[in-house]
mmCIF file of all heavy atoms in Angstrom:
data_model
loop_
_atom_site.group_PDB
_atom_site.id
_atom_site.type_symbol
_atom_site.label_atom_id
_atom_site.label_comp_id
_atom_site.label_asym_id
_atom_site.label_seq_id
_atom_site.Cartn_x
_atom_site.Cartn_y
_atom_site.Cartn_z
ATOM 1 N N TYR A 1 52.494 -9.618 -33.765
ATOM 2 C CA TYR A 1 53.558 -9.721 -32.775
ATOM 3 C C TYR A 1 54.853 -9.192 -33.386
ATOM 4 O O TYR A 1 55.244 -9.612 -34.478
ATOM 5 C CB TYR A 1 53.731 -11.166 -32.315
ATOM 6 C CG TYR A 1 52.535 -11.679 -31.546
ATOM 7 C CD1 TYR A 1 51.466 -12.282 -32.204
ATOM 8 C CD2 TYR A 1 52.461 -11.529 -30.165
ATOM 9 C CE1 TYR A 1 50.354 -12.726 -31.506
ATOM 10 C CE2 TYR A 1 51.356 -11.976 -29.445
ATOM 11 C CZ TYR A 1 50.307 -12.568 -30.127
ATOM 12 O OH TYR A 1 49.205 -13.000 -29.420
ATOM 13 N N VAL A 2 55.495 -8.256 -32.684
ATOM 14 C CA VAL A 2 56.682 -7.583 -33.208
ATOM 15 C C VAL A 2 57.832 -7.718 -32.211
ATOM 16 O O VAL A 2 57.691 -7.360 -31.026
ATOM 17 C CB VAL A 2 56.405 -6.083 -33.459
ATOM 18 C CG1 VAL A 2 57.658 -5.400 -34.007
ATOM 19 C CG2 VAL A 2 55.226 -5.913 -34.407
ATOM 20 N N VAL A 3 58.958 -8.256 -32.676
ATOM 21 C CA VAL A 3 60.156 -8.336 -31.832
ATOM 22 C C VAL A 3 60.798 -6.954 -31.805
ATOM 23 O O VAL A 3 61.198 -6.419 -32.841
ATOM 24 C CB VAL A 3 61.170 -9.361 -32.381
ATOM 25 C CG1 VAL A 3 62.434 -9.378 -31.521
ATOM 26 C CG2 VAL A 3 60.558 -10.757 -32.434
ATOM 27 N N ILE A 4 60.883 -6.357 -30.621
ATOM 28 C CA ILE A 4 61.444 -5.002 -30.524
ATOM 29 C C ILE A 4 62.863 -4.998 -29.961
ATOM 30 O O ILE A 4 63.565 -3.995 -30.051
ATOM 31 C CB ILE A 4 60.539 -4.084 -29.670
ATOM 32 C CG1 ILE A 4 60.408 -4.620 -28.247
ATOM 33 C CG2 ILE A 4 59.175 -3.903 -30.339
ATOM 34 C CD1 ILE A 4 59.757 -3.629 -27.290
ATOM 35 N N ASP A 5 63.285 -6.143 -29.382
ATOM 36 C CA ASP A 5 64.637 -6.177 -28.829
ATOM 37 C C ASP A 5 65.067 -7.621 -28.601
ATOM 38 O O ASP A 5 64.233 -8.502 -28.371
ATOM 39 C CB ASP A 5 64.686 -5.417 -27.490
ATOM 40 C CG ASP A 5 66.107 -5.297 -26.944
ATOM 41 O OD1 ASP A 5 67.010 -4.971 -27.740
ATOM 42 O OD2 ASP A 5 66.309 -5.544 -25.741
ATOM 43 N N SER A 6 66.368 -7.841 -28.719
ATOM 44 C CA SER A 6 66.952 -9.129 -28.336
ATOM 45 C C SER A 6 68.315 -8.829 -27.723
ATOM 46 O O SER A 6 69.059 -8.003 -28.230
ATOM 47 C CB SER A 6 67.093 -10.063 -29.540
ATOM 48 O OG SER A 6 67.968 -9.526 -30.505
ATOM 49 N N SER A 7 68.610 -9.495 -26.621
ATOM 50 C CA SER A 7 69.861 -9.227 -25.925
ATOM 51 C C SER A 7 70.485 -10.528 -25.449
ATOM 52 O O SER A 7 69.820 -11.558 -25.352
ATOM 53 C CB SER A 7 69.619 -8.299 -24.729
ATOM 54 O OG SER A 7 68.692 -8.887 -23.829
ATOM 55 N N GLY A 8 71.776 -10.466 -25.165
ATOM 56 C CA GLY A 8 72.488 -11.638 -24.678
ATOM 57 C C GLY A 8 73.222 -12.354 -25.795
ATOM 58 O O GLY A 8 73.032 -12.055 -26.980
ATOM 59 N N PRO A 9 74.072 -13.326 -25.441
ATOM 60 C CA PRO A 9 74.827 -14.087 -26.447
ATOM 61 C C PRO A 9 73.901 -14.937 -27.297
ATOM 62 O O PRO A 9 72.760 -15.218 -26.909
ATOM 63 C CB PRO A 9 75.758 -14.962 -25.595
ATOM 64 C CG PRO A 9 75.060 -15.076 -24.275
ATOM 65 C CD PRO A 9 74.370 -13.769 -24.070
ATOM 66 N N ASP A 10 74.396 -15.373 -28.454
ATOM 67 C CA ASP A 10 73.573 -16.126 -29.401
ATOM 68 C C ASP A 10 72.947 -17.363 -28.775
ATOM 69 O O ASP A 10 71.825 -17.738 -29.112
ATOM 70 C CB ASP A 10 74.407 -16.542 -30.620
ATOM 71 C CG ASP A 10 74.778 -15.355 -31.506
ATOM 72 O OD1 ASP A 10 74.117 -14.307 -31.372
ATOM 73 O OD2 ASP A 10 75.704 -15.476 -32.315
ATOM 74 N N HIS A 11 73.661 -18.029 -27.887
ATOM 75 C CA HIS A 11 73.160 -19.281 -27.319
ATOM 76 C C HIS A 11 72.194 -19.051 -26.160
ATOM 77 O O HIS A 11 71.594 -20.013 -25.663
ATOM 78 C CB HIS A 11 74.336 -20.150 -26.840
ATOM 79 C CG HIS A 11 75.088 -19.566 -25.692
ATOM 80 N ND1 HIS A 11 76.088 -18.632 -25.868
ATOM 81 C CD2 HIS A 11 74.981 -19.753 -24.350
ATOM 82 C CE1 HIS A 11 76.567 -18.300 -24.683
ATOM 83 N NE2 HIS A 11 75.919 -18.962 -23.751
ATOM 84 N N ALA A 12 72.019 -17.809 -25.703
ATOM 85 C CA ALA A 12 71.141 -17.554 -24.552
ATOM 86 C C ALA A 12 70.496 -16.179 -24.663
ATOM 87 O O ALA A 12 70.580 -15.357 -23.751
ATOM 88 C CB ALA A 12 71.933 -17.676 -23.255
ATOM 89 N N LYS A 13 69.850 -15.926 -25.772
ATOM 90 C CA LYS A 13 69.234 -14.616 -25.998
ATOM 91 C C LYS A 13 67.943 -14.461 -25.201
ATOM 92 O O LYS A 13 67.261 -15.446 -24.889
ATOM 93 C CB LYS A 13 68.929 -14.430 -27.491
ATOM 94 C CG LYS A 13 70.128 -14.018 -28.321
ATOM 95 C CD LYS A 13 69.690 -13.626 -29.721
ATOM 96 C CE LYS A 13 70.869 -13.140 -30.550
ATOM 97 N NZ LYS A 13 71.484 -11.927 -29.992
ATOM 98 N N THR A 14 67.618 -13.218 -24.878
ATOM 99 C CA THR A 14 66.327 -12.856 -24.306
ATOM 100 C C THR A 14 65.627 -11.940 -25.305
ATOM 101 O O THR A 14 66.201 -10.953 -25.760
ATOM 102 C CB THR A 14 66.492 -12.120 -22.961
ATOM 103 O OG1 THR A 14 67.099 -13.009 -22.025
ATOM 104 C CG2 THR A 14 65.136 -11.672 -22.417
ATOM 105 N N PHE A 15 64.393 -12.297 -25.646
ATOM 106 C CA PHE A 15 63.637 -11.537 -26.644
ATOM 107 C C PHE A 15 62.543 -10.718 -25.961
ATOM 108 O O PHE A 15 61.937 -11.154 -24.983
ATOM 109 C CB PHE A 15 62.988 -12.480 -27.659
ATOM 110 C CG PHE A 15 63.975 -13.250 -28.498
ATOM 111 C CD1 PHE A 15 64.446 -14.484 -28.087
ATOM 112 C CD2 PHE A 15 64.445 -12.729 -29.698
ATOM 113 C CE1 PHE A 15 65.353 -15.195 -28.846
ATOM 114 C CE2 PHE A 15 65.356 -13.436 -30.467
ATOM 115 C CZ PHE A 15 65.814 -14.666 -30.039
ATOM 116 N N THR A 16 62.315 -9.510 -26.503
ATOM 117 C CA THR A 16 61.209 -8.664 -26.060
ATOM 118 C C THR A 16 60.260 -8.490 -27.239
ATOM 119 O O THR A 16 60.678 -8.101 -28.332
ATOM 120 C CB THR A 16 61.708 -7.287 -25.591
ATOM 121 O OG1 THR A 16 62.660 -7.464 -24.544
ATOM 122 C CG2 THR A 16 60.545 -6.436 -25.079
ATOM 123 N N VAL A 17 58.994 -8.805 -27.003
ATOM 124 C CA VAL A 17 57.993 -8.789 -28.071
ATOM 125 C C VAL A 17 56.807 -7.925 -27.645
ATOM 126 O O VAL A 17 56.376 -7.969 -26.487
ATOM 127 C CB VAL A 17 57.506 -10.224 -28.388
ATOM 128 C CG1 VAL A 17 56.295 -10.196 -29.314
ATOM 129 C CG2 VAL A 17 58.623 -11.042 -29.019
ATOM 130 N N GLU A 18 56.301 -7.136 -28.583
ATOM 131 C CA GLU A 18 55.062 -6.381 -28.375
ATOM 132 C C GLU A 18 53.959 -7.016 -29.206
ATOM 133 O O GLU A 18 54.206 -7.504 -30.311
ATOM 134 C CB GLU A 18 55.228 -4.927 -28.821
ATOM 135 C CG GLU A 18 56.121 -4.080 -27.931
ATOM 136 C CD GLU A 18 56.242 -2.649 -28.433
ATOM 137 O OE1 GLU A 18 55.873 -2.382 -29.604
ATOM 138 O OE2 GLU A 18 56.724 -1.806 -27.652
ATOM 139 N N VAL A 19 52.751 -7.014 -28.668
ATOM 140 C CA VAL A 19 51.596 -7.415 -29.454
ATOM 141 C C VAL A 19 50.804 -6.153 -29.771
ATOM 142 O O VAL A 19 50.501 -5.352 -28.885
ATOM 143 C CB VAL A 19 50.726 -8.467 -28.721
ATOM 144 C CG1 VAL A 19 50.248 -7.987 -27.373
ATOM 145 C CG2 VAL A 19 49.546 -8.867 -29.603
ATOM 146 N N HIS A 20 50.543 -5.968 -31.057
ATOM 147 C CA HIS A 20 49.844 -4.764 -31.531
ATOM 148 C C HIS A 20 48.416 -5.113 -31.919
ATOM 149 O O HIS A 20 48.196 -6.085 -32.654
ATOM 150 C CB HIS A 20 50.556 -4.172 -32.755
ATOM 151 C CG HIS A 20 51.929 -3.665 -32.457
ATOM 152 N ND1 HIS A 20 52.686 -2.970 -33.385
ATOM 153 C CD2 HIS A 20 52.708 -3.733 -31.339
ATOM 154 C CE1 HIS A 20 53.857 -2.647 -32.856
ATOM 155 N NE2 HIS A 20 53.883 -3.109 -31.612
ATOM 156 N N LEU A 21 47.481 -4.320 -31.466
ATOM 157 C CA LEU A 21 46.099 -4.401 -31.923
ATOM 158 C C LEU A 21 45.920 -3.250 -32.892
ATOM 159 O O LEU A 21 45.924 -2.089 -32.488
ATOM 160 C CB LEU A 21 45.122 -4.288 -30.746
ATOM 161 C CG LEU A 21 43.627 -4.237 -31.123
ATOM 162 C CD1 LEU A 21 43.216 -5.481 -31.883
ATOM 163 C CD2 LEU A 21 42.772 -4.054 -29.873
ATOM 164 N N ASN A 22 45.811 -3.590 -34.166
ATOM 165 C CA ASN A 22 45.897 -2.599 -35.227
ATOM 166 C C ASN A 22 47.258 -1.903 -35.075
ATOM 167 O O ASN A 22 48.282 -2.535 -35.219
ATOM 168 C CB ASN A 22 44.707 -1.642 -35.190
ATOM 169 C CG ASN A 22 43.393 -2.397 -35.385
ATOM 170 O OD1 ASN A 22 43.349 -3.368 -36.138
ATOM 171 N ND2 ASN A 22 42.358 -1.963 -34.695
ATOM 172 N N SER A 23 47.309 -0.638 -34.686
ATOM 173 C CA SER A 23 48.609 0.034 -34.533
ATOM 174 C C SER A 23 48.943 0.322 -33.077
ATOM 175 O O SER A 23 49.941 0.980 -32.784
ATOM 176 C CB SER A 23 48.619 1.349 -35.328
ATOM 177 O OG SER A 23 47.586 2.205 -34.878
ATOM 178 N N ASN A 24 48.130 -0.187 -32.162
ATOM 179 C CA ASN A 24 48.314 0.117 -30.741
ATOM 180 C C ASN A 24 48.961 -1.048 -29.996
ATOM 181 O O ASN A 24 48.575 -2.208 -30.180
ATOM 182 C CB ASN A 24 46.959 0.435 -30.090
ATOM 183 C CG ASN A 24 46.282 1.625 -30.748
ATOM 184 O OD1 ASN A 24 46.915 2.655 -30.946
ATOM 185 N ND2 ASN A 24 45.006 1.476 -31.088
ATOM 186 N N VAL A 25 49.932 -0.725 -29.148
ATOM 187 C CA VAL A 25 50.580 -1.742 -28.324
ATOM 188 C C VAL A 25 49.655 -2.084 -27.158
ATOM 189 O O VAL A 25 49.270 -1.211 -26.375
ATOM 190 C CB VAL A 25 51.934 -1.241 -27.774
ATOM 191 C CG1 VAL A 25 52.564 -2.305 -26.871
ATOM 192 C CG2 VAL A 25 52.871 -0.886 -28.910
ATOM 193 N N ILE A 26 49.292 -3.374 -27.041
ATOM 194 C CA ILE A 26 48.393 -3.765 -25.956
ATOM 195 C C ILE A 26 49.047 -4.757 -24.994
ATOM 196 O O ILE A 26 48.426 -5.167 -24.015
ATOM 197 C CB ILE A 26 47.085 -4.375 -26.512
ATOM 198 C CG1 ILE A 26 47.383 -5.602 -27.385
ATOM 199 C CG2 ILE A 26 46.297 -3.326 -27.281
ATOM 200 C CD1 ILE A 26 46.116 -6.362 -27.793
ATOM 201 N N GLY A 27 50.299 -5.113 -25.291
ATOM 202 C CA GLY A 27 50.988 -6.035 -24.379
ATOM 203 C C GLY A 27 52.451 -6.184 -24.760
ATOM 204 O O GLY A 27 52.810 -6.066 -25.931
ATOM 205 N N THR A 28 53.277 -6.419 -23.758
ATOM 206 C CA THR A 28 54.712 -6.631 -23.974
ATOM 207 C C THR A 28 55.150 -7.849 -23.163
ATOM 208 O O THR A 28 54.693 -8.046 -22.036
ATOM 209 C CB THR A 28 55.530 -5.406 -23.523
ATOM 210 O OG1 THR A 28 55.071 -4.248 -24.215
ATOM 211 C CG2 THR A 28 57.013 -5.613 -23.825
ATOM 212 N N GLY A 29 56.029 -8.647 -23.758
ATOM 213 C CA GLY A 29 56.504 -9.830 -23.053
ATOM 214 C C GLY A 29 57.972 -10.102 -23.320
ATOM 215 O O GLY A 29 58.512 -9.690 -24.350
ATOM 216 N N LYS A 30 58.627 -10.786 -22.385
ATOM 217 C CA LYS A 30 60.020 -11.186 -22.540
ATOM 218 C C LYS A 30 60.135 -12.685 -22.337
ATOM 219 O O LYS A 30 59.365 -13.285 -21.588
ATOM 220 C CB LYS A 30 60.916 -10.470 -21.532
ATOM 221 C CG LYS A 30 61.097 -8.983 -21.792
ATOM 222 C CD LYS A 30 62.126 -8.389 -20.840
ATOM 223 C CE LYS A 30 62.362 -6.911 -21.154
ATOM 224 N NZ LYS A 30 63.417 -6.328 -20.294
ATOM 225 N N GLY A 31 61.122 -13.293 -23.005
ATOM 226 C CA GLY A 31 61.331 -14.725 -22.840
ATOM 227 C C GLY A 31 62.608 -15.174 -23.500
ATOM 228 O O GLY A 31 63.224 -14.437 -24.272
ATOM 229 N N ARG A 32 63.005 -16.426 -23.189
ATOM 230 C CA ARG A 32 64.231 -16.971 -23.749
ATOM 231 C C ARG A 32 64.054 -17.476 -25.173
ATOM 232 O O ARG A 32 64.985 -17.951 -25.800
ATOM 233 C CB ARG A 32 64.746 -18.099 -22.849
ATOM 234 C CG ARG A 32 65.331 -17.581 -21.541
ATOM 235 C CD ARG A 32 65.672 -18.708 -20.604
ATOM 236 N NE ARG A 32 64.467 -19.339 -20.078
ATOM 237 C CZ ARG A 32 64.482 -20.367 -19.235
ATOM 238 N NH1 ARG A 32 65.618 -20.899 -18.859
ATOM 239 N NH2 ARG A 32 63.356 -20.870 -18.771
ATOM 240 N N SER A 33 62.839 -17.384 -25.680
ATOM 241 C CA SER A 33 62.573 -17.653 -27.092
ATOM 242 C C SER A 33 61.473 -16.694 -27.533
ATOM 243 O O SER A 33 60.757 -16.127 -26.701
ATOM 244 C CB SER A 33 62.132 -19.107 -27.306
ATOM 245 O OG SER A 33 60.817 -19.304 -26.799
#
């Protein structure tokens, strides 16, 4: 799982994470943690 982006103020960030299977991206998700 790789965090590729985080946005927003420190107290309310939104994170974007990719899940890699070997070197291939197979899913992306966003959340408040």
